[in-house]
Amino acid sequence: MELLPFWLCLGFHFLTVHWRNRSGTATAASQGGCKLVGGAADCRGQSLASVPSSLPPHAQTLILDANPLKTLWNHSLQPYPLLESLSLHSCHLEHMDRGAFQKQGHLRSLALGDNCLSENYKETAAALHALRSLRRLDLSGNSLTEDMAALMLQNLSSLQSVSLARNTILRLDDSIFEGLEHLRELDLQRNYIFEIEGGAFDSLTELRHLNLAYNNLPCIVDFRLTQLRFLNVSYNALEWFLASGGEDAFELETLDLSHNQLLFFPLLPQSSKLHTLLLHDNNMGFYRDLYNTSSPREMVAQFLLVDGNVTNITTVNLWEEFSSSDLSDLRFLDMSQNQFQYLPDGFLKKMPSLSHLNLNQNCLMTLHIREHEPPGGLTELDLSHNQLSELHLAPGLTSCLGSLRLFNLSSNQLLGIPPGLFANARNITTLDMSHNQISLCLPLAASDQVGPPSCVDFRNMASLRSLSLEGCGLGALPDGPFQGTSLTYLDLSSNWGVLNGSLAPLRDVAPMLQILSLRNMGLHSSFMELDFSGFGNLRELDLSGNCLTTFPGFRGSRALQTLDLRRNSLTALPQKAVSEQLLRGLQTIYLSQNPYDCCWVDGWGALQHGQTVADWAMVTCNLSSKIIHVTELSGGMPWDCRWQRLDLGLLYLVLILPSCLTLLVACTIIVLTFKKPLLQVIKSRCHWSSVY
């Protein structure tokens, strides 16, 4: 499972004050289009050209976002001397009078994001200097340069949180943040910063959160912000990250270096509290095996650091750059989307607290599982999309993967797993082995052997609830392959012939399954036992990409909510299925990409009105060799279908009856016309005597 990068959008929340009236309950009113709740006035988006002066004078929070104010005059805020929070986002502000905040001694939070403050930045800076008690300031999206920002922040020593995101800052020198000794949060993301001068942050002794994402920094060397707890340098052009080589204790807890161009594992502090390290989407690898050197000391890199008249040389061993780093508290490590071909011996042993490890989309070919590697507390391990052909399990190892809950091995080159790998995986709930050419172990009673030496056995994994085996090239499932599991999710897609004409191999887990995927398995209508009546808790069923010509059976199944029948060979849906099953509990059904007959879809109106068919606009049918969208048949059955829907016996009767009647009339006329001569001829020939 991947940790969501919530730090990419460092929050500066300016308007979080809750107000109540004297009775203790919140009140709401409206005045001039502004909403009044207690001591807060919300006037956003009212097309105001100036700050309204008729609001309650005791207002403590004023929101004027998205109003074309353009100018903040000296008198604009004078009616509200008790303001503590003011938001002026997207107000087209270009000018502020120097005395605009002269009477705002209580103002703690000021949001000026997405304006045009660079136009008259000197006047704006002079206005801001009056705010001696300001704690939070948002200057994001104002096209400010570093010089403009430095001038605006001058003498605002009370600031604790500043946002300069989305401006045009190019470099940071040692004077831009001078005097901000109480600053704790600084957001500099989405600028054009390519250089940070040494000592730029030295005056920020209280700084805890620093966001430098989406800039152009080429490297970070001699990192020594020991007080920092959170650092985001993602989406830059970093090739190196080198912390100070001293023994200073760092407070760093979260470090995001993702989406850069790092070549080597970062050189981290020797003493830190780091618990989250994000390194995904870089060019990192370990390179010791690529060099035929007699001693590791022969492959080093030396960095020349020039700071004024001081020159320092830092030497780094390219394959042991992690060895001096303090990773003892690390809990989350994401190294996905890199170039790692192997993990050095002892690498994971340095992380005894590790619980989440993501190595997907690398070039790993083998993985050695030893004692404490991976750590015993690991709960999630993602090795998907590598080139793994072998997993090596140390002999006699009995306590590996004991805490593992999620194990992703999909999209590798595995033919099996070492026997006993899952023997002690007592807590594993989710296992993905899709797109590996594995085979399942046979029951002992079925053969003298239990399968290939590296076959996979899922039986009696009591904690297992989710299993994906898509595209594994499985043969026909043996009897009871999932016996003893607690599966609620099972994906057997893209394994042709795996069910061998029967759902019997799934009978052990049928009562528990809630989601079942059987797409692209070659199922066809001669599959006589395609009856899901025994799957009482099944909520989602995917049968797409098969050859079904008839609707599957769901007798007595009321839990089904989603059914996918796309890309089959259905020509119609039985009216019984439409009326009894689909409209009873099914919430979503997919029916497109089937060769329906337009003459047999007129009973689908209830489906359309009930919005059950999710892809109704894409459902087509065939009419006289033409493909027509079902939505175009709203007028009812096409006229060409009338004769096709009649009873054939009645049709033949209607066609034959006129001919029979015509022949009978003709015979009658002939008999009546030639009655007397005909009788005489017959009498003469037969020598009949006349009656007198």
Side-chain angles (χ1 to χ4, degrees):
M1 177 183 292
E2 183 174 354
L3 186 66
L4 294 178
F6 58 90
W7 42 84
L8 292 183
C9 301
L10 185 62
F12 287 83
H13 304 288
F14 295 89
L15 306 170
T16 57
V17 184
H18 301 276
W19 308 101
R20 296 183 181 276
N21 61 11
R22 295 180 179 178
S23 63
T25 58
T27 60
S30 178
Q31 185 169 347
C34 298
K35 297 178 181 178
L36 306 178
V37 181
D42 187 351
C43 304
R44 74 187 81 188
Q46 297 297 318
S47 300
L48 300 175
S50 61
V51 178
S53 58
S54 58
L55 299 174
H58 63 272
Q60 296 174 311
T61 298
L62 179 57
I63 306 173
L64 291 166
D65 299 348
N67 285 290
L69 300 181
K70 293 189 178 181
T71 301
L72 200 63
W73 305 102
N74 287 333
H75 62 273
S76 296
L77 299 173
Q78 287 183 358
Y80 315 109
L82 301 179
L83 274 183
E84 295 183 4
S85 179
L86 174 62
S87 182
L88 295 165
H89 270 289
S90 303
C91 289
H92 308 285
L93 284 176
E94 299 176 356
H95 176 77
M96 285 188 187
D97 279 352
R98 292 174 177 264
F101 300 111
Q102 198 67 40
K103 303 295 184 180
Q104 307 305 315
H106 297 279
L107 198 63
R108 301 290 185 270
S109 176
L110 176 59
L112 297 170
D114 298 305
N115 284 288
C116 307
L117 299 183
S118 60
E119 298 291 333
N120 297 281
Y121 70 95
K122 292 183 179 180
E123 287 77 8
T124 300
L128 293 176
H129 292 167
L131 298 172
R132 298 295 183 179
S133 300
L134 195 64
R135 299 288 186 269
R136 296 177 178 270
L137 176 60
D138 182 1
L139 294 172
S140 60
N142 277 285
S143 302
L144 301 177
T145 65
E146 54 269 25
D147 295 332
M148 297 176 185
L151 185 60
M152 290 186 181
L153 296 176
Q154 212 171 50
N155 299 322
L156 296 180
S157 58
S158 60
L159 281 176
Q160 297 179 359
S161 177
V162 171
S163 176
L164 291 168
R166 295 180 289 108
N167 281 290
T168 56
I169 300 173
L170 297 177
R171 62 187 303 274
L172 303 176
D173 58 28
D174 57 358
S175 64
I176 186 171
F177 303 119
E178 190 175 3
L180 303 181
E181 60 270 11
H182 297 295
L183 195 66
R184 299 179 63 86
E185 297 180 359
L186 178 57
D187 188 359
L188 291 164
Q189 66 174 308
R190 297 185 184 277
N191 278 277
Y192 302 93
I193 302 171
F194 67 90
E195 181 183 2
I196 300 177
E197 186 176 310
F201 301 112
D202 284 357
S203 62
L204 306 180
T205 56
E206 296 294 324
L207 190 63
R208 297 294 183 266
H209 287 243
L210 176 58
N211 192 343
L212 288 165
Y214 295 96
N215 279 284
N216 299 313
L217 293 171
C219 62
I220 292 181
V221 295
D222 198 25
F223 173 74
R224 56 177 185 268
L225 296 180
T226 57
Q227 80 281 12
L228 207 62
R229 294 179 181 173
F230 168 87
L231 175 61
N232 182 6
V233 203
S234 62
Y235 292 97
N236 277 267
L238 294 182
E239 294 184 355
W240 301 91
F241 182 91
L242 305 175
S244 174
E247 297 181 357
D248 296 333
F250 283 72
E251 297 293 323
L252 192 62
E253 298 177 353
T254 299
L255 176 59
D256 188 354
L257 299 174
S258 61
H259 307 287
N260 278 285
Q261 301 173 26
L262 291 173
L263 300 172
F264 303 94
F265 196 85
L267 183 64
L268 301 171
Q270 296 181 18
S271 176
S272 72
K273 300 178 181 179
L274 193 65
H275 60 67
T276 300
L277 179 57
L278 302 180
L279 301 171
H280 56 280
D281 192 18
N282 279 282
N283 300 315
M284 291 188 300
F286 294 115
Y287 304 100
R288 183 174 186 175
D289 290 355
L290 300 181
Y291 297 93
N292 186 19
T293 57
S294 57
S295 171
R297 297 178 182 177
E298 298 179 15
M299 192 59 193
V300 297
Q302 290 184 330
F303 296 90
L304 184 64
L305 308 178
V306 180
D307 187 2
N309 296 325
V310 180
T311 301
N312 294 321
I313 297 178
T314 299
T315 301
V316 178
N317 206 323
L318 291 184
W319 49 70
E320 294 180 355
E321 56 267 33
F322 64 88
S323 60
S324 61
S325 303
D326 184 5
L327 302 174
S328 58
D329 292 331
L330 194 64
R331 297 195 295 271
F332 188 98
L333 175 59
D334 188 350
M335 297 166 58
S336 60
Q337 301 178 52
N338 278 282
Q339 305 296 323
F340 293 107
Q341 296 184 5
Y342 71 99
L343 299 181
D345 295 346
F347 176 68
L348 296 178
K349 190 175 292 187
K350 289 183 62 64
M351 312 170 193
S353 303
L354 194 65
S355 60
H356 296 70
L357 176 59
N358 191 348
L359 286 165
N360 76 71
Q361 299 184 58
N362 276 282
C363 307
L364 296 173
M365 292 179 281
T366 60
L367 182 69
H368 294 269
I369 300 175
R370 307 180 181 90
E371 188 173 5
H372 305 304
E373 282 196 85
L378 193 67
T379 60
E380 296 187 10
L381 177 58
D382 190 347
L383 297 170
S384 61
H385 295 89
N386 278 277
Q387 301 173 23
L388 286 173
S389 58
E390 286 185 282
L391 296 177
H392 293 282
L393 184 63
L397 192 60
T398 58
S399 59
C400 66
L401 309 181
S403 301
L404 199 64
R405 300 176 65 87
L406 183 149
F407 196 9
N408 191 348
L409 287 165
S410 63
S411 300
N412 279 283
Q413 301 172 15
L414 294 172
L415 299 178
I417 59 173
L421 181 64
F422 295 141
N424 294 307
R426 299 177 300 273
N427 295 304
I428 193 166
T429 60
T430 302
L431 179 59
D432 189 348
M433 298 196 68
S434 57
H435 303 291
N436 287 284
Q437 299 302 303
I438 62 174
S439 57
L440 301 187
C441 298
L442 299 174
L444 291 174
S447 171
D448 294 336
Q449 299 180 347
V450 295
S454 57
C455 65
V456 185
D457 192 355
F458 301 112
R459 290 169 296 182
N460 299 318
M461 293 180 64
S463 60
L464 189 61
R465 297 177 58 85
S466 175
L467 177 62
S468 180
L469 297 173
E470 179 183 2
C472 288
L474 297 174
L477 290 180
D479 188 36
F482 310 116
Q483 186 178 9
T485 66
S486 304
L487 286 178
T488 59
Y489 174 95
L490 178 60
D491 188 352
L492 294 172
S493 302
S494 302
N495 288 287
W496 282 66
V498 69
L499 291 178
N500 198 23
S502 173
L503 293 175
L506 306 181
R507 63 175 178 269
D508 293 318
V509 293
M512 299 176 291
L513 278 178
Q514 298 179 13
I515 302 175
L516 177 61
S517 182
L518 301 176
R519 64 182 179 276
N520 301 324
M521 291 180 57
L523 302 179
H524 46 80
S525 294
S526 59
F527 199 174
M528 300 304 294
E529 298 185 29
L530 193 61
D531 187 350
F532 295 91
S533 302
F535 294 71
N537 290 308
L538 195 62
R539 293 187 290 106
E540 298 181 18
L541 176 61
D542 188 352
L543 294 172
S544 61
N546 286 289
C547 306
L548 300 178
T549 57
T550 59
F551 198 76
F554 297 97
R555 185 175 60 255
S557 177
R558 296 181 177 272
L560 192 64
Q561 298 177 1
T562 302
L563 176 62
D564 194 341
L565 291 171
R566 287 174 290 188
R567 300 188 304 281
N568 275 281
S569 301
L570 297 172
T571 58
L573 289 183
Q575 292 296 321
K576 183 178 180 181
V578 172
S579 60
E580 294 184 4
Q581 174 62 36
L582 302 185
L583 298 181
R584 182 173 56 195
L586 203 61
Q587 298 177 2
T588 304
I589 184 171
Y590 298 91
L591 296 173
S592 62
Q593 303 178 60
N594 279 283
Y596 297 112
D597 188 340
C598 292
C599 298
W600 296 96
V601 298
D602 60 315
W604 290 14
L607 293 179
Q608 182 183 12
H609 295 310
Q611 298 181 345
T612 305
V613 184
D615 55 347
W616 183 260
M618 295 183 289
V619 178
T620 60
C621 61
N622 300 321
L623 179 64
S624 301
S625 302
K626 296 180 180 179
I627 298 179
I628 302 175
H629 285 274
V630 174
T631 54
E632 300 175 6
L633 301 177
S634 57
M637 185 192 311
W639 181 259
D640 295 345
C641 299
R642 304 292 179 176
W643 291 108
Q644 298 182 29
R645 299 293 297 271
L646 291 175
D647 186 3
L648 291 180
L650 180 60
L651 178 62
Y652 292 150
L653 179 61
V654 171
L655 293 176
I656 294 174
L657 186 59
S659 301
C660 294
L661 291 176
T662 302
L663 181 61
L664 180 61
V665 170
C667 292
T668 303
I669 293 174
I670 293 173
V671 169
L672 293 177
T673 303
F674 301 100
K675 180 178 180 182
K676 185 174 182 180
L678 182 61
L679 289 174
Q680 292 177 352
V681 171
I682 293 174
K683 288 179 179 180
S684 62
R685 295 243 180 189
C686 298
H687 303 287
W688 288 356
S689 57
S690 298
V691 179
Y692 298 98

